[in-house]
Amino acid sequence: MKIKDSNKQHYDVIAVGAGMAGLYLLHKLRQAGFSAVALETADDVGGTWYWNRYPGARCDIESLDYSYSFDPELENEWQWSERYATQPEILRYLQFVADRYDLRKDIRFSTRVDQACWNEEEQYWNVTTDKGDSLTSQFYVMATGCLSMPKETDVPGVKRFKGPTYFTNRWPHEGVNFTGLRVAVIGTGSSGIQSIPLIAEEASQLTVFQRTANYAAPANNGPLRKEHLEKLEADRFAYRENARWSRVGVPIPPNTEPFFTVEPEERLRRMEAGWQQGDLLTINSSFSDLVTNAEANLEVQEFFRNKVRAKVEDEETAEDLCAKDFPLFTKRLCLETKYFETFNKPHVKLVNLNRNPINSITESGIDTNEESMEFDAIVFATGFDAMTGAIVAVDIRGREGVELKDIWKDGPKTYLGLNVHGFPNFFAITGPGSPSVLSNMVVSIEQHVNWIADALQYLRNNNLYSLEATSKAQEAWVTHVNDYGNLTLYPQANSWYMGANVPGKPRVFLPYVGGVDRYRQACDEVVQRDYLGFEQLGAEASLCNEGRIRFVKPDVQLLLELLASLEQPTLDSLSPEDARTQMEASTAQRPPGPDVGEVIDSSLLGPDGVIDYRLYRPESEGPHPIVVYYHGGGWVLGHSSSDDPFCRYLCANSDVIVVSVNYRHAPEARFPAAVEDAYAALIWIAENAESLGGKSNQLAVAGWSAGGNLAAVVSQIAQSQSGPSICGQLLVTPVADADFSRTSYNDNAEGYILTRSLMEWFWDHYCDVNERDDPRASPIKAESLEGLPPAMVVTAELDPLRDEGNAYAEAMSTAGVEVRHKQAPGQIHTSITAVDTIVSSEGVRKKMCEAISGFFN
Ligand code: N01
């Protein structure tokens, strides 16, 4: 740092915003001995609770949880008066906090930040305001909140109206008296749903313009719940700690039961109990899969709709008020108090904008397609440019003058939602890519502030002056955030979570849906691993701790966690017999895979007796091409139906017959018995193709793992022994070599189901060491790969076999074979074939089916 102490306008930290985040940040930084200033547009503290003063504004997380936890004394000094506190009470609380910690002296009110530029030469941030101030700081923090930038009004003619217009998110401080007025409210999100019943109490006429009906649960507001208070008071520390390590920042244990594993009566009981409880969380957390399972979600949606139908007298209005356009929970659930009943009042009318859209706001009212309506006042409850709007409203420029707005034009990119590559010493509190709006904001704010304060102390203690995410770490985090979002139903809604409410905003899922607990774990791990993924510059030494914090696909990770929780013995610690029994037991639990036209179990005669096979025929009329499939299991485990869901998948999605053939297994029958059977079965199927319903000369092979090895080997044998003719080979995470020295054998030696030691166990059972260079064991060792059929090779990033599969694909390609090669990021050896279990590998599976279709065209 080259800043001179004499510069009075220089701070360690400049923060933007004096809401819940800014206040705690100031306190925390002061405690840690940093100089800090917060710049705030408003003339007082409070952030969202300063601006959103519309009638009925309240928190939708219970007040006891929606409270700072950093100071037990503060907790003792403040008593909430209601279960869901009103905006004035929450604002008083934040004012109390500001006074109690004497924070106002470090806040410049009525000051808007216009620009923040990183000065590369001096290594500081230069911040300018609308007041003409120019300040500098080592660190720059956006504590601007997720829902603070009002969405620009996009209703036509908005400027024409001569009467007063009000915006819920910028409500006049003196309040508004609607008594005797004809009022229009546009928008039925949380703000509309909270304010409409109260506006209706005053207005002589209220017309609500609804574009999309919303799900809302009753708030059942009242005094603080006794049992809730008792729980907190019994052990405040444990209570708050449980919140910090919960899914959404409220201490409710996560549920592991999928909806349809619960009996219908019990499902209904839980929904009803959640409804009576009156909160955002209970119903959702009564099951494990309401935001991932569309059918389960549909059933709960209908429960919500029936509640509306029971409350609203006019049938057409009731139907219009029933949310139908998006899955439940994929827009923020609203908490309501007499909202639906308000539409039973004779002076309240609902206009369904889908049937009767607004043509224009006029001088005296609103014209829709069907009528002209006169109003004395219009209220806009039209929402926010959420999560990114307030951040990019400031002209933030990082290294080389790069504008944040520019690099976020296709959607925000952050590392942990905290920092952005190219913007050293820049932090966003509850930024996009963190749980933020999907959590209790206070818990997430405290976590971010603590993390930032710790980071600043780490830099100070280590004589470092800047911290910046690497592009690789950021890219991996963005992928991780998207991967999680894509496992859920959230992307289906046109919500502000998706940026879909603001015309022209890129459609990207903005928050992190993996949970407060998992997110906190990731942030902690980054620190424990010496700020993994951050470049750290110092006066004497700098380091770049390159790396990715989460790269296993989230559903794969969940599967790994589930398997670990079963504490089963590893297969390689068992006898082959016991390993087979354990395998059978676990495959019995899988989803069955898609329906196909017909499944036939039969057998053929091999070189050493009968070989079982299972034939899968598509629903469409034949004849069809045939794929001979070899199952996985390290030549030791499995049989003709052990990859049943995957075979069904290939059959149904490629419109081919799949014949899954068994082969003799080791250690009872060692190498080359499996190869002999695999090849004999191939010949028999080629010769009997027509009687099996296949097309002659339309034959391909496929296999997974050891089966991929056999598919590769029989392709070589068929090619060298002139038959049968094979149109293509699909090799899925194949064993291509017996060489354990490749990088992937070390990188992925443990932790991803197929371990290095399990592979050693398989090889030892299957094949003598001195035979392993035989190309029938290690197909990559073949003298020539020329003339082999076209291939698709699929490898998984986190598989010990990854590099040999990659090497085989490359070797075939070099030999002139037409090869499609797909390495699946974040996948493990067993996840690519896990039909209906691992959703994140669905794209690769689709590609395999395309490849199979390509073999025959
Ligand atoms: O905003 P919203 P909000 N023509 O975006 C409609 C938090 N919050 O201020 O859905 C016609 O949810 C829009 O219609 P559509 C909470 O997280 C919390 O209500 O886009 N209509 C929608 O109905 C919440 O989720 C509390 O089709 C137009 C409404 O306006 C978030 O803030 C209280 C329109 C906007 O709903 C935002 O809530 C309040 C147009 N041109 C808010 N443009 C608590 O309880 C928009 N709409 C703590």
Side-chain angles (χ1 to χ4, degrees):
M1 279 296 303
K2 299 178 188 167
I3 287 295
K4 298 175 193 79
D5 288 338
S6 60
N7 185 341
K8 288 202 188 77
Q9 296 277 299
H10 183 77
Y11 299 87
D12 292 326
V13 182
I14 294 175
V16 186
M20 210 162 230
L23 290 179
Y24 178 46
L25 181 71
L26 283 181
H27 170 67
K28 185 80 188 170
L29 292 174
R30 195 188 286 167
Q31 273 189 324
F34 293 102
S35 64
V37 65
L39 307 174
E40 167 60 60
T41 320
D43 60 13
D44 196 6
V45 298
T48 198
W49 300 107
Y50 172 94
W51 295 108
N52 287 267
R53 296 169 186 246
Y54 60 85
R58 290 175 187 275
C59 54
D60 57 5
I61 296 286
E62 296 191 44
S63 316
L64 287 186
D65 297 310
Y66 196 75
S67 307
Y68 289 121
S69 70
F70 64 84
D71 184 350
E73 285 181 21
L74 169 66
E75 291 205 55
N76 286 330
E77 285 169 25
W78 184 266
Q79 307 297 330
W80 293 106
S81 66
E82 283 182 276
R83 183 178 178 197
Y84 295 107
T86 59
Q87 172 271 330
E89 187 172 9
I90 303 172
L91 184 58
R92 278 201 302 281
Y93 171 68
L94 295 174
Q95 289 165 338
F96 172 75
V97 170
D99 294 338
R100 191 186 187 285
Y101 300 99
D102 194 15
L103 300 174
R104 287 176 203 274
K105 68 177 183 202
D106 292 329
I107 305 171
R108 293 192 193 182
F109 292 108
S110 306
T111 302
R112 196 189 63 229
V113 175
D114 286 337
Q115 196 183 51
C117 294
W118 175 248
N119 183 327
E120 182 73 9
E121 203 184 315
E122 304 290 341
Q123 297 281 315
Y124 62 63
W125 283 93
N126 196 2
V127 176
T128 52
T129 74
D130 61 342
K131 293 246 174 95
D133 305 320
S134 180
L135 299 79
T136 56
S137 63
Q138 190 181 352
F139 303 97
Y140 175 68
V141 183
M142 289 300 273
T144 36
C146 298
L147 293 154
S148 47
M149 175 55 63
K151 181 186 116 150
E152 238 173 70
T153 317
D154 53 355
V155 184
V158 70
K159 294 222 166 79
R160 288 172 65 191
F161 188 64
K162 295 270 190 283
T165 51
Y166 302 103
F167 294 81
T168 48
N169 45 37
R170 289 290 180 272
W171 203 257
H173 286 202
E174 61 282 10
V176 182
N177 184 354
F178 290 111
T179 307
L181 302 185
R182 297 164 302 170
V183 182
V185 176
I186 301 178
T188 52
S190 299
S191 305
I193 283 178
Q194 282 186 333
S195 58
I196 284 164
L198 292 169
I199 296 174
E201 282 179 14
E202 292 182 356
S204 63
Q205 242 182 60
L206 174 65
T207 307
V208 175
F209 292 83
Q210 172 193 277
R211 190 164 63 184
T212 311
N214 241 317
Y215 301 97
N220 293 345
N221 194 24
L224 294 175
R225 285 188 298 132
K226 194 164 159 280
E227 68 277 16
H228 194 182
L229 196 58
E230 281 169 0
K231 220 164 154 189
L232 173 73
E233 284 176 348
D235 187 345
R236 269 178 195 273
F237 178 79
Y239 185 94
R240 297 298 186 202
E241 197 58 12
N242 284 342
R244 289 179 196 118
W245 289 98
S246 66
R247 245 341 99 78
V248 294
V250 175
I252 300 178
N255 193 300
T256 51
E257 278 175 303
F259 188 76
F260 288 112
T261 62
V262 176
E263 290 300 315
E265 302 77 48
E266 173 59 13
R267 299 206 286 263
L268 191 60
R269 193 200 62 74
R270 289 188 197 178
M271 287 188 267
E272 198 58 59
W275 185 264
Q276 297 307 335
Q277 169 84 0
D279 64 24
L280 295 182
L281 309 169
T282 306
I283 292 184
N284 198 354
S285 55
S286 298
F287 307 94
S288 65
D289 58 346
L290 293 188
V291 293
T292 52
N293 181 337
E295 277 175 48
N297 191 288
L298 205 59
E299 199 167 310
V300 191
Q301 285 176 36
E302 198 52 22
F303 173 85
F304 272 72
R305 288 191 278 267
N306 285 335
K307 292 288 185 190
V308 178
R309 289 171 187 135
K311 286 182 183 197
V312 180
E313 287 156 14
D314 178 69
E315 254 178 54
E316 187 176 303
T317 308
E319 275 318 299
D320 282 346
L321 286 167
C322 284
K324 292 174 187 149
D325 299 335
F326 58 97
L328 176 66
F329 305 120
T330 58
K331 283 187 176 185
R332 175 91 166 190
L333 180 62
C334 304
L335 281 191
E336 58 88 20
T337 303
K338 298 211 170 72
Y339 172 68
F340 295 109
E341 290 86 342
T342 298
F343 291 90
N344 294 334
K345 296 187 172 178
H347 69 295
V348 179
K349 171 175 157 182
L350 182 72
V351 176
N352 179 336
L353 294 179
N354 290 315
R355 273 204 310 276
N356 185 14
I358 294 177
N359 284 340
S360 180
I361 294 182
T362 64
E363 283 71 16
S364 56
I366 296 178
D367 279 2
T368 67
N369 260 6
E370 287 174 7
E371 58 185 314
S372 275
M373 287 171 260
E374 303 266 302
F375 295 110
D376 302 311
I378 302 179
V379 174
F380 291 91
T382 42
F384 299 86
D385 181 351
M387 300 205 67
T388 54
I391 298 178
V392 299
V394 176
D395 178 8
I396 302 175
R397 295 174 190 231
R399 278 190 288 105
E400 292 158 23
V402 172
E403 286 181 49
L404 187 66
K405 198 165 28 183
D406 262 4
I407 62 159
W408 281 11
K409 66 179 186 310
D410 299 324
K413 294 179 177 59
T414 70
Y415 184 36
L416 304 169
L418 274 162
N419 175 250
V420 180
H421 173 66
F423 295 76
N425 291 353
F426 165 73
F427 298 102
I429 296 180
T430 61
S434 73
S436 60
V437 292
L438 296 179
S439 71
N440 175 359
M441 285 299 285
V442 192
V443 169
S444 290
I445 284 170
E446 287 191 335
Q447 187 231 343
H448 267 189
V449 168
N450 293 343
W451 194 96
I452 292 167
D454 287 349
L456 266 52
Q457 288 176 85
Y458 164 83
L459 294 177
R460 185 172 61 188
N461 297 341
N462 290 281
N463 205 14
L464 299 163
Y465 56 76
S466 104
L467 198 64
E468 180 193 340
T470 68
S471 128
K472 184 176 166 186
Q474 176 170 291
E475 213 173 287
W477 183 256
V478 170
T479 302
H480 180 61
V481 171
N482 287 330
D483 286 342
Y484 248 121
N486 289 336
L487 288 182
T488 71
L489 305 171
Y490 282 99
Q492 293 183 19
N494 290 324
S495 64
W496 57 258
Y497 295 141
M498 297 295 302
N501 63 328
V502 175
K505 191 166 172 172
R507 196 185 171 94
V508 175
F509 186 60
L510 298 167
Y512 176 70
V513 72
V516 163
D517 49 351
R518 289 204 191 90
Y519 175 75
R520 183 181 294 269
Q521 180 75 41
C523 292
D524 287 359
E525 254 178 74
V526 164
V527 175
Q528 283 149 17
R529 294 168 69 183
D530 300 324
Y531 289 86
L532 181 73
F534 280 104
E535 184 163 16
Q536 304 157 41
L537 301 184
E540 283 144 29
S542 300
L543 65 137
C544 181
N545 192 7
E546 187 60 279
R548 304 171 297 166
I549 186 65
R550 291 286 179 266
F551 43 85
V552 183
K553 293 289 171 193
D555 48 354
V556 175
Q557 184 61 39
L558 293 174
L559 181 74
L560 290 173
E561 285 167 18
L562 177 76
L563 290 175
S565 72
L566 300 178
E567 294 182 356
Q568 287 182 327
T570 59
L571 291 175
D572 49 299
S573 68
L574 300 173
S575 68
E577 203 52 41
D578 289 346
R580 285 172 193 150
T581 308
Q582 183 165 303
M583 264 294 272
E584 281 299 300
S586 64
T587 55
Q589 310 287 328
R590 329 170 271 202
D595 287 340
V596 295
E598 186 182 26
V599 176
I600 301 170
D601 285 319
S602 189
S603 59
L604 57 95
L605 199 57
D608 190 51
V610 161
I611 296 176
D612 293 331
Y613 68 82
R614 176 170 278 194
L615 181 146
Y616 304 83
R617 195 185 310 286
E619 277 173 358
S620 63
E621 205 170 311
H624 299 96
I626 298 181
V627 172
V628 180
Y629 180 85
Y630 302 103
H631 63 267
W635 309 282
V636 175
L637 315 171
H639 45 75
S640 58
S641 60
S642 57
D643 291 350
D644 193 66
F646 185 51
C647 289
R648 286 170 177 275
Y649 183 94
L650 295 179
C651 168
N653 292 290
S654 315
D655 202 33
V656 294
I657 291 173
V658 174
V659 187
S660 172
V661 295
N662 203 7
Y663 45 85
R664 278 170 289 160
H665 289 113
E668 294 85 351
R670 288 168 64 84
F671 173 81
V675 175
E676 289 166 1
D677 284 2
Y679 185 53
L682 178 70
I683 292 173
W684 185 87
I685 291 165
E687 287 170 355
N688 293 277
E690 284 179 31
S691 63
L692 293 170
K695 291 182 179 167
S696 58
N697 294 325
Q698 292 257 291
L699 191 67
V701 292
W704 165 56
S705 190
N709 167 279
L710 293 174
V713 169
V714 296
S715 297
Q716 290 185 7
I717 297 173
Q719 194 261 336
S720 65
Q721 298 190 5
S722 320
S725 162
I726 297 176
C727 302
Q729 39 175 342
L730 170 65
L731 311 179
V732 186
T733 58
V735 185
D737 202 353
D739 177 357
F740 283 59
S741 68
R742 289 191 174 88
T743 310
S744 57
Y745 256 111
N746 292 321
D747 288 355
N748 307 317
E750 275 180 44
Y752 303 120
I753 298 179
L754 180 66
T755 60
R756 183 190 173 103
S757 62
L758 180 57
M759 258 335 276
E760 282 167 353
W761 186 84
F762 283 141
W763 271 112
D764 290 346
H765 281 306
Y766 179 51
C767 186
D768 290 348
V769 172
N770 61 9
E771 289 178 314
R772 291 183 192 174
D773 278 349
D774 185 323
R776 291 173 304 160
S778 298
I780 201 166
K781 295 278 168 32
E783 243 170 56
S784 165
L785 299 173
E786 277 175 27
L788 284 174
M792 170 151 198
V793 182
V794 178
T795 54
E797 183 194 359
L798 306 170
D799 180 359
L801 304 183
R802 176 194 69 205
D803 291 349
E804 64 198 64
N806 290 351
Y808 191 53
E810 199 181 322
M812 283 194 289
S813 184
T814 306
V817 178
E818 192 187 321
V819 178
R820 289 168 80 173
H821 175 207
K822 172 86 188 138
Q823 179 174 299
Q827 299 292 338
I828 62 173
H829 185 72
T830 51
S831 60
I832 291 182
T833 53
V835 174
D836 292 339
T837 305
I838 301 299
V839 178
S840 58
S841 51
E842 180 63 16
V844 190
R845 285 193 288 275
K846 290 235 165 76
K847 291 243 172 325
M848 295 187 215
C849 293
E850 277 167 31
I852 289 178
S853 303
F855 293 156
F856 300 116
N857 289 326

